[in-house]
Amino acid sequence: MYDLQEIRNEFPILQRQIYGKPLVYLDNAATTQKPRCVIEAITEAYTNVNANVHRGVHFLSQRATEQYEDARERVRRFINAKSRQEVIFTRGTTESINLVASSFGDTFLGEGDEVIISTMEHHSNIVPWQLQAQRKGIKLRVIPLREDASLDKEAYTTLFSEKTRLVSITHTSNVMGMTNPVKEFIDIAHSHNVPVLIDGAQSIPHKKIDVQELDADFFVFSGHKIYGPTGIGVLYGKEELLNSMNPYQGGGEMIQTVRFEKTTFNELPYKFEAGTPDYVGAIALAQAIDFVESVGIEQIAAHEQQLTIYTLDKLREIPGMRIFGKPDGSAISFLVGDIHPADLGTLLDRLGIAIRTGHHCAQPLIDHFGIPGTVRASFAMYNTYEEADTLVAGITRVAKMFE
Ligand code: C6P
C-alpha cells in the first residue's frame, strides 16, 4: 500500500477548504483531480516546447511532435495495444464513441442492421447510436438487467441475429460503480463474428487494462478521469478495423494528397486526427499515466476496493439507506428514505463534501429503478477512510434534519 498522505500532497486542490471545511472530494467519476506533475507538464509544454505538431521543420515543432508521439507510445504501453497506429487521440470518451458510430456506421451499417447496447449505458453510448438509427435506419437492441442490476448474459445471447453488426457496452457503470464481465461478453459477440466496443471511461482509472487480453475491438476512455487534463481522450481500435473505416472528420493532417478531383487519406493513426490535435493534452495525459504507474494501478485498485467495502458497511447502518447495484470499487449510488438526491447533495456540499446527484447521464438506468436519481460518491487513489467517515456523518446529520 502507498502512503496516502504523500499521494494527497501531490494534488494541490485537495488542500482547499470549502465553506471553511476541508474539501472531501468524492466526485471522481465525473472528473479526477490533477497531480502537480500533470499541471506542471501543461505549463512546461506551453512555456518551452509549444509549436504545432507534424507541420514544421523547425526545432520547436520537431520537439512538440516527438513529445506528442511519445505520449501515444506511453498510452499504447499502458493499455497494451499492439501498435501505436491503434491509438487515436480524441477529445474524450464521448468523441471516441461518436467517431466509431460515425465512421464504423458510415462503412458497415445499413438499414435494418442492429447494434447491441445495454440498459446501464451512459448517454454517450446511446445517443450516437440513436443518431445512426435516424441516419441509417439501424436498430438498437438493449441488454436488460437482472434483479441484482447486473447485465443479463442469457438475454444478451438471444439478442444476436444475422443483422447484428456491433456490440457497444460499458466496462464499469458510472452510476453503480459495478464492473461487467466484459471479456465473456466479448467472447460471445466474437462467436457471432461481431466486433465489440468497450466504454472504459469508468474502468481505466481503477483497473489494469490489456486490450489484447480483453480482445476488445474498440476501447475508449477520457484523460480527465485518470488524473489527466480535460479535452483529451483515446480511441483504441484494432488496426484492421480502423483501416477499413471511413475517416471521421476531414481537414489537415488526415490527408495524404488533396486535389479538387480526388483526395487520398493519411495512414493510421492520423487518418482519424483531423486538424491540430490537443498535443499539450496528450503530453499531460502521458504524465498522468506515468503518475498512475508510479503509484501502481493494482495498489490503487486494492485501496479503492477496500475503501468501497468500508464505506458500504458504514452506509448500510444508516436507516432508510438504499444502495443501487453491487459497487466494486469506483462509485456507490444511494438514496436515503425519501430525501430528494438534490437536497442531500446540496446539504452535503455545505459540509465541504463534493458528491454528484441526479441521473448521471444514464437516464434509462435511473428509469429502470423508477427513481428520480441517486446520490453518488465516487473514489480515487487519494480518498481516505476519514473522508468516508465524514461522508457517513454528513448523511446521518442531513437524514436527522429530514426526520
Ligand atoms: N461520466 C459522470 O459523472 P466524457 O464526458 O466524454 O469524458 O465521458 C463520457 C462518459 C462515457 N461513458 C461513461 C461510462 C461515463 O461515465 C462518462 C462520463 C461522468 O458519470 C460525466 S457525465
PDB file of all heavy atoms in Angstrom, residues 315-342:
ATOM      1  N   LEU A 315     -22.413   2.909   5.401  1.00  0.00           N
ATOM      2  CA  LEU A 315     -23.638   3.475   4.821  1.00  0.00           C
ATOM      3  C   LEU A 315     -24.846   2.611   5.184  1.00  0.00           C
ATOM      4  O   LEU A 315     -25.934   3.124   5.482  1.00  0.00           O
ATOM      5  CB  LEU A 315     -23.523   3.570   3.295  1.00  0.00           C
ATOM      6  CG  LEU A 315     -22.633   4.673   2.717  1.00  0.00           C
ATOM      7  CD1 LEU A 315     -22.540   4.553   1.196  1.00  0.00           C
ATOM      8  CD2 LEU A 315     -23.164   6.065   3.074  1.00  0.00           C
ATOM      9  N   ARG A 316     -24.623   1.289   5.166  1.00  0.00           N
ATOM     10  CA  ARG A 316     -25.751   0.367   5.416  1.00  0.00           C
ATOM     11  C   ARG A 316     -26.306   0.502   6.835  1.00  0.00           C
ATOM     12  O   ARG A 316     -27.419   0.053   7.102  1.00  0.00           O
ATOM     13  CB  ARG A 316     -25.309  -1.083   5.144  1.00  0.00           C
ATOM     14  CG  ARG A 316     -25.158  -1.365   3.661  1.00  0.00           C
ATOM     15  CD  ARG A 316     -25.158  -2.849   3.342  1.00  0.00           C
ATOM     16  NE  ARG A 316     -25.078  -3.048   1.904  1.00  0.00           N
ATOM     17  CZ  ARG A 316     -23.976  -3.423   1.247  1.00  0.00           C
ATOM     18  NH1 ARG A 316     -22.875  -3.697   1.917  1.00  0.00           N
ATOM     19  NH2 ARG A 316     -23.997  -3.561  -0.062  1.00  0.00           N
ATOM     20  N   GLU A 317     -25.542   1.125   7.725  1.00  0.00           N
ATOM     21  CA  GLU A 317     -26.036   1.323   9.099  1.00  0.00           C
ATOM     22  C   GLU A 317     -27.014   2.501   9.180  1.00  0.00           C
ATOM     23  O   GLU A 317     -27.679   2.692  10.187  1.00  0.00           O
ATOM     24  CB  GLU A 317     -24.845   1.593  10.039  1.00  0.00           C
ATOM     25  CG  GLU A 317     -24.003   0.352  10.301  1.00  0.00           C
ATOM     26  CD  GLU A 317     -22.704   0.693  11.023  1.00  0.00           C
ATOM     27  OE1 GLU A 317     -22.567   1.827  11.527  1.00  0.00           O
ATOM     28  OE2 GLU A 317     -21.825  -0.186  11.059  1.00  0.00           O
ATOM     29  N   ILE A 318     -27.076   3.310   8.110  1.00  0.00           N
ATOM     30  CA  ILE A 318     -27.963   4.490   8.129  1.00  0.00           C
ATOM     31  C   ILE A 318     -29.394   4.036   7.813  1.00  0.00           C
ATOM     32  O   ILE A 318     -29.621   3.400   6.774  1.00  0.00           O
ATOM     33  CB  ILE A 318     -27.483   5.551   7.093  1.00  0.00           C
ATOM     34  CG1 ILE A 318     -26.084   6.048   7.464  1.00  0.00           C
ATOM     35  CG2 ILE A 318     -28.480   6.705   6.994  1.00  0.00           C
ATOM     36  CD1 ILE A 318     -25.445   6.957   6.424  1.00  0.00           C
ATOM     37  N   PRO A 319     -30.360   4.360   8.693  1.00  0.00           N
ATOM     38  CA  PRO A 319     -31.744   3.945   8.443  1.00  0.00           C
ATOM     39  C   PRO A 319     -32.256   4.497   7.105  1.00  0.00           C
ATOM     40  O   PRO A 319     -31.979   5.647   6.772  1.00  0.00           O
ATOM     41  CB  PRO A 319     -32.527   4.566   9.615  1.00  0.00           C
ATOM     42  CG  PRO A 319     -31.505   4.871  10.656  1.00  0.00           C
ATOM     43  CD  PRO A 319     -30.212   5.113   9.949  1.00  0.00           C
ATOM     44  N   GLY A 320     -32.975   3.655   6.361  1.00  0.00           N
ATOM     45  CA  GLY A 320     -33.568   4.082   5.088  1.00  0.00           C
ATOM     46  C   GLY A 320     -32.587   4.078   3.929  1.00  0.00           C
ATOM     47  O   GLY A 320     -32.921   4.513   2.822  1.00  0.00           O
ATOM     48  N   MET A 321     -31.364   3.578   4.170  1.00  0.00           N
ATOM     49  CA  MET A 321     -30.340   3.579   3.110  1.00  0.00           C
ATOM     50  C   MET A 321     -30.695   2.543   2.031  1.00  0.00           C
ATOM     51  O   MET A 321     -31.026   1.405   2.326  1.00  0.00           O
ATOM     52  CB  MET A 321     -28.978   3.251   3.728  1.00  0.00           C
ATOM     53  CG  MET A 321     -27.836   3.099   2.750  1.00  0.00           C
ATOM     54  SD  MET A 321     -27.486   4.562   1.747  1.00  0.00           S
ATOM     55  CE  MET A 321     -27.065   5.787   2.952  1.00  0.00           C
ATOM     56  N   ARG A 322     -30.632   2.968   0.777  1.00  0.00           N
ATOM     57  CA  ARG A 322     -30.879   2.062  -0.340  1.00  0.00           C
ATOM     58  C   ARG A 322     -29.706   2.202  -1.313  1.00  0.00           C
ATOM     59  O   ARG A 322     -29.464   3.302  -1.830  1.00  0.00           O
ATOM     60  CB  ARG A 322     -32.190   2.486  -1.008  1.00  0.00           C
ATOM     61  CG  ARG A 322     -32.667   1.543  -2.048  1.00  0.00           C
ATOM     62  CD  ARG A 322     -34.066   1.978  -2.509  1.00  0.00           C
ATOM     63  NE  ARG A 322     -34.369   1.316  -3.756  1.00  0.00           N
ATOM     64  CZ  ARG A 322     -35.239   1.758  -4.646  1.00  0.00           C
ATOM     65  NH1 ARG A 322     -35.895   2.882  -4.436  1.00  0.00           N
ATOM     66  NH2 ARG A 322     -35.456   1.080  -5.762  1.00  0.00           N
ATOM     67  N   ILE A 323     -28.980   1.092  -1.532  1.00  0.00           N
ATOM     68  CA  ILE A 323     -27.808   1.138  -2.420  1.00  0.00           C
ATOM     69  C   ILE A 323     -28.160   0.442  -3.735  1.00  0.00           C
ATOM     70  O   ILE A 323     -28.798  -0.615  -3.731  1.00  0.00           O
ATOM     71  CB  ILE A 323     -26.595   0.502  -1.723  1.00  0.00           C
ATOM     72  CG1 ILE A 323     -26.118   1.488  -0.641  1.00  0.00           C
ATOM     73  CG2 ILE A 323     -25.448   0.231  -2.703  1.00  0.00           C
ATOM     74  CD1 ILE A 323     -25.394   0.907   0.482  1.00  0.00           C
ATOM     75  N   PHE A 324     -27.730   1.027  -4.831  1.00  0.00           N
ATOM     76  CA  PHE A 324     -28.110   0.512  -6.151  1.00  0.00           C
ATOM     77  C   PHE A 324     -26.969  -0.293  -6.773  1.00  0.00           C
ATOM     78  O   PHE A 324     -25.841   0.193  -6.858  1.00  0.00           O
ATOM     79  CB  PHE A 324     -28.535   1.673  -7.066  1.00  0.00           C
ATOM     80  CG  PHE A 324     -29.768   2.346  -6.554  1.00  0.00           C
ATOM     81  CD1 PHE A 324     -29.685   3.404  -5.669  1.00  0.00           C
ATOM     82  CD2 PHE A 324     -31.028   1.858  -6.892  1.00  0.00           C
ATOM     83  CE1 PHE A 324     -30.817   3.992  -5.137  1.00  0.00           C
ATOM     84  CE2 PHE A 324     -32.180   2.438  -6.367  1.00  0.00           C
ATOM     85  CZ  PHE A 324     -32.077   3.511  -5.497  1.00  0.00           C
ATOM     86  N   GLY A 325     -27.299  -1.519  -7.186  1.00  0.00           N
ATOM     87  CA  GLY A 325     -26.307  -2.392  -7.811  1.00  0.00           C
ATOM     88  C   GLY A 325     -25.328  -2.917  -6.784  1.00  0.00           C
ATOM     89  O   GLY A 325     -25.547  -2.818  -5.566  1.00  0.00           O
ATOM     90  N   LYS A 326     -24.244  -3.506  -7.304  1.00  0.00           N
ATOM     91  CA  LYS A 326     -23.218  -4.073  -6.426  1.00  0.00           C
ATOM     92  C   LYS A 326     -21.884  -3.385  -6.698  1.00  0.00           C
ATOM     93  O   LYS A 326     -21.109  -3.815  -7.540  1.00  0.00           O
ATOM     94  CB  LYS A 326     -23.088  -5.584  -6.682  1.00  0.00           C
ATOM     95  CG  LYS A 326     -24.227  -6.381  -6.053  1.00  0.00           C
ATOM     96  CD  LYS A 326     -23.887  -7.844  -5.911  1.00  0.00           C
ATOM     97  CE  LYS A 326     -24.127  -8.551  -7.216  1.00  0.00           C
ATOM     98  NZ  LYS A 326     -23.988  -9.966  -7.222  1.00  0.00           N
ATOM     99  N   PRO A 327     -21.634  -2.260  -5.983  1.00  0.00           N
ATOM    100  CA  PRO A 327     -20.423  -1.480  -6.254  1.00  0.00           C
ATOM    101  C   PRO A 327     -19.160  -2.292  -5.953  1.00  0.00           C
ATOM    102  O   PRO A 327     -19.130  -3.020  -4.959  1.00  0.00           O
ATOM    103  CB  PRO A 327     -20.533  -0.305  -5.277  1.00  0.00           C
ATOM    104  CG  PRO A 327     -21.933  -0.323  -4.758  1.00  0.00           C
ATOM    105  CD  PRO A 327     -22.423  -1.706  -4.875  1.00  0.00           C
ATOM    106  N   ASP A 328     -18.166  -2.170  -6.831  1.00  0.00           N
ATOM    107  CA  ASP A 328     -16.963  -2.981  -6.608  1.00  0.00           C
ATOM    108  C   ASP A 328     -15.670  -2.166  -6.610  1.00  0.00           C
ATOM    109  O   ASP A 328     -14.596  -2.684  -6.886  1.00  0.00           O
ATOM    110  CB  ASP A 328     -16.881  -4.134  -7.614  1.00  0.00           C
ATOM    111  CG  ASP A 328     -16.947  -3.639  -9.061  1.00  0.00           C
ATOM    112  OD1 ASP A 328     -16.374  -2.560  -9.352  1.00  0.00           O
ATOM    113  OD2 ASP A 328     -17.571  -4.311  -9.900  1.00  0.00           O
ATOM    114  N   GLY A 329     -15.774  -0.855  -6.361  1.00  0.00           N
ATOM    115  CA  GLY A 329     -14.507  -0.160  -6.177  1.00  0.00           C
ATOM    116  C   GLY A 329     -14.363   1.209  -6.781  1.00  0.00           C
ATOM    117  O   GLY A 329     -13.331   1.851  -6.593  1.00  0.00           O
ATOM    118  N   SER A 330     -15.387   1.708  -7.490  1.00  0.00           N
ATOM    119  CA  SER A 330     -15.197   3.036  -8.061  1.00  0.00           C
ATOM    120  C   SER A 330     -16.246   4.026  -7.578  1.00  0.00           C
ATOM    121  O   SER A 330     -15.915   5.187  -7.330  1.00  0.00           O
ATOM    122  CB  SER A 330     -15.202   2.972  -9.586  1.00  0.00           C
ATOM    123  OG  SER A 330     -16.390   2.392 -10.059  1.00  0.00           O
ATOM    124  N   ALA A 331     -17.497   3.575  -7.445  1.00  0.00           N
ATOM    125  CA  ALA A 331     -18.562   4.509  -7.073  1.00  0.00           C
ATOM    126  C   ALA A 331     -19.662   3.775  -6.320  1.00  0.00           C
ATOM    127  O   ALA A 331     -19.834   2.568  -6.490  1.00  0.00           O
ATOM    128  CB  ALA A 331     -19.143   5.157  -8.325  1.00  0.00           C
ATOM    129  N   ILE A 332     -20.390   4.536  -5.497  1.00  0.00           N
ATOM    130  CA  ILE A 332     -21.549   3.985  -4.783  1.00  0.00           C
ATOM    131  C   ILE A 332     -22.708   4.942  -5.002  1.00  0.00           C
ATOM    132  O   ILE A 332     -22.588   6.144  -4.735  1.00  0.00           O
ATOM    133  CB  ILE A 332     -21.279   3.871  -3.261  1.00  0.00           C
ATOM    134  CG1 ILE A 332     -20.038   3.004  -2.984  1.00  0.00           C
ATOM    135  CG2 ILE A 332     -22.501   3.310  -2.541  1.00  0.00           C
ATOM    136  CD1 ILE A 332     -19.619   2.972  -1.509  1.00  0.00           C
ATOM    137  N   SER A 333     -23.844   4.407  -5.486  1.00  0.00           N
ATOM    138  CA  SER A 333     -25.032   5.226  -5.677  1.00  0.00           C
ATOM    139  C   SER A 333     -26.065   4.836  -4.637  1.00  0.00           C
ATOM    140  O   SER A 333     -26.295   3.647  -4.410  1.00  0.00           O
ATOM    141  CB  SER A 333     -25.623   4.971  -7.067  1.00  0.00           C
ATOM    142  OG  SER A 333     -25.382   6.059  -7.916  1.00  0.00           O
ATOM    143  N   PHE A 334     -26.698   5.835  -4.037  1.00  0.00           N
ATOM    144  CA  PHE A 334     -27.664   5.517  -2.985  1.00  0.00           C
ATOM    145  C   PHE A 334     -28.748   6.578  -2.862  1.00  0.00           C
ATOM    146  O   PHE A 334     -28.641   7.677  -3.419  1.00  0.00           O
ATOM    147  CB  PHE A 334     -26.944   5.346  -1.638  1.00  0.00           C
ATOM    148  CG  PHE A 334     -26.112   6.544  -1.242  1.00  0.00           C
ATOM    149  CD1 PHE A 334     -26.667   7.588  -0.503  1.00  0.00           C
ATOM    150  CD2 PHE A 334     -24.783   6.636  -1.614  1.00  0.00           C
ATOM    151  CE1 PHE A 334     -25.908   8.696  -0.134  1.00  0.00           C
ATOM    152  CE2 PHE A 334     -24.025   7.750  -1.255  1.00  0.00           C
ATOM    153  CZ  PHE A 334     -24.591   8.782  -0.516  1.00  0.00           C
ATOM    154  N   LEU A 335     -29.792   6.205  -2.119  1.00  0.00           N
ATOM    155  CA  LEU A 335     -30.839   7.137  -1.695  1.00  0.00           C
ATOM    156  C   LEU A 335     -31.091   6.872  -0.224  1.00  0.00           C
ATOM    157  O   LEU A 335     -30.890   5.743   0.251  1.00  0.00           O
ATOM    158  CB  LEU A 335     -32.132   6.895  -2.490  1.00  0.00           C
ATOM    159  CG  LEU A 335     -32.160   7.382  -3.941  1.00  0.00           C
ATOM    160  CD1 LEU A 335     -33.466   6.964  -4.616  1.00  0.00           C
ATOM    161  CD2 LEU A 335     -31.983   8.898  -4.024  1.00  0.00           C
ATOM    162  N   VAL A 336     -31.516   7.900   0.496  1.00  0.00           N
ATOM    163  CA  VAL A 336     -31.825   7.727   1.921  1.00  0.00           C
ATOM    164  C   VAL A 336     -33.280   8.109   2.131  1.00  0.00           C
ATOM    165  O   VAL A 336     -33.657   9.271   1.906  1.00  0.00           O
ATOM    166  CB  VAL A 336     -30.928   8.622   2.802  1.00  0.00           C
ATOM    167  CG1 VAL A 336     -31.175   8.335   4.282  1.00  0.00           C
ATOM    168  CG2 VAL A 336     -29.467   8.430   2.460  1.00  0.00           C
ATOM    169  N   GLY A 337     -34.083   7.112   2.530  1.00  0.00           N
ATOM    170  CA  GLY A 337     -35.517   7.348   2.746  1.00  0.00           C
ATOM    171  C   GLY A 337     -36.111   8.038   1.534  1.00  0.00           C
ATOM    172  O   GLY A 337     -35.815   7.660   0.396  1.00  0.00           O
ATOM    173  N   ASP A 338     -36.925   9.079   1.780  1.00  0.00           N
ATOM    174  CA  ASP A 338     -37.444   9.796   0.609  1.00  0.00           C
ATOM    175  C   ASP A 338     -36.817  11.184   0.460  1.00  0.00           C
ATOM    176  O   ASP A 338     -37.420  12.095  -0.107  1.00  0.00           O
ATOM    177  CB  ASP A 338     -38.982   9.846   0.616  1.00  0.00           C
ATOM    178  CG  ASP A 338     -39.514  10.346   1.950  1.00  0.00           C
ATOM    179  OD1 ASP A 338     -38.697  10.887   2.730  1.00  0.00           O
ATOM    180  OD2 ASP A 338     -40.725  10.199   2.189  1.00  0.00           O
ATOM    181  N   ILE A 339     -35.593  11.333   0.945  1.00  0.00           N
ATOM    182  CA  ILE A 339     -34.877  12.607   0.754  1.00  0.00           C
ATOM    183  C   ILE A 339     -34.500  12.718  -0.725  1.00  0.00           C
ATOM    184  O   ILE A 339     -33.897  11.782  -1.295  1.00  0.00           O
ATOM    185  CB  ILE A 339     -33.594  12.674   1.612  1.00  0.00           C
ATOM    186  CG1 ILE A 339     -33.910  12.422   3.088  1.00  0.00           C
ATOM    187  CG2 ILE A 339     -32.891  14.022   1.438  1.00  0.00           C
ATOM    188  CD1 ILE A 339     -32.686  12.332   3.976  1.00  0.00           C
ATOM    189  N   HIS A 340     -34.842  13.849  -1.328  1.00  0.00           N
ATOM    190  CA  HIS A 340     -34.502  14.018  -2.741  1.00  0.00           C
ATOM    191  C   HIS A 340     -32.978  14.101  -2.885  1.00  0.00           C
ATOM    192  O   HIS A 340     -32.314  14.785  -2.089  1.00  0.00           O
ATOM    193  CB  HIS A 340     -35.166  15.281  -3.314  1.00  0.00           C
ATOM    194  CG  HIS A 340     -35.142  15.299  -4.820  1.00  0.00           C
ATOM    195  ND1 HIS A 340     -34.036  15.674  -5.524  1.00  0.00           N
ATOM    196  CD2 HIS A 340     -36.084  14.934  -5.731  1.00  0.00           C
ATOM    197  CE1 HIS A 340     -34.290  15.567  -6.836  1.00  0.00           C
ATOM    198  NE2 HIS A 340     -35.532  15.121  -6.978  1.00  0.00           N
ATOM    199  N   PRO A 341     -32.407  13.416  -3.899  1.00  0.00           N
ATOM    200  CA  PRO A 341     -30.953  13.433  -4.043  1.00  0.00           C
ATOM    201  C   PRO A 341     -30.357  14.837  -4.134  1.00  0.00           C
ATOM    202  O   PRO A 341     -29.277  15.099  -3.570  1.00  0.00           O
ATOM    203  CB  PRO A 341     -30.683  12.646  -5.340  1.00  0.00           C
ATOM    204  CG  PRO A 341     -32.000  12.272  -5.911  1.00  0.00           C
ATOM    205  CD  PRO A 341     -33.055  12.523  -4.881  1.00  0.00           C
ATOM    206  N   ALA A 342     -31.073  15.757  -4.799  1.00  0.00           N
ATOM    207  CA  ALA A 342     -30.529  17.125  -4.935  1.00  0.00           C
ATOM    208  C   ALA A 342     -30.449  17.810  -3.563  1.00  0.00           C
ATOM    209  O   ALA A 342     -29.495  18.555  -3.295  1.00  0.00           O
ATOM    210  CB  ALA A 342     -31.400  17.941  -5.893  1.00  0.00           C
TER     211      ALA A 342
END
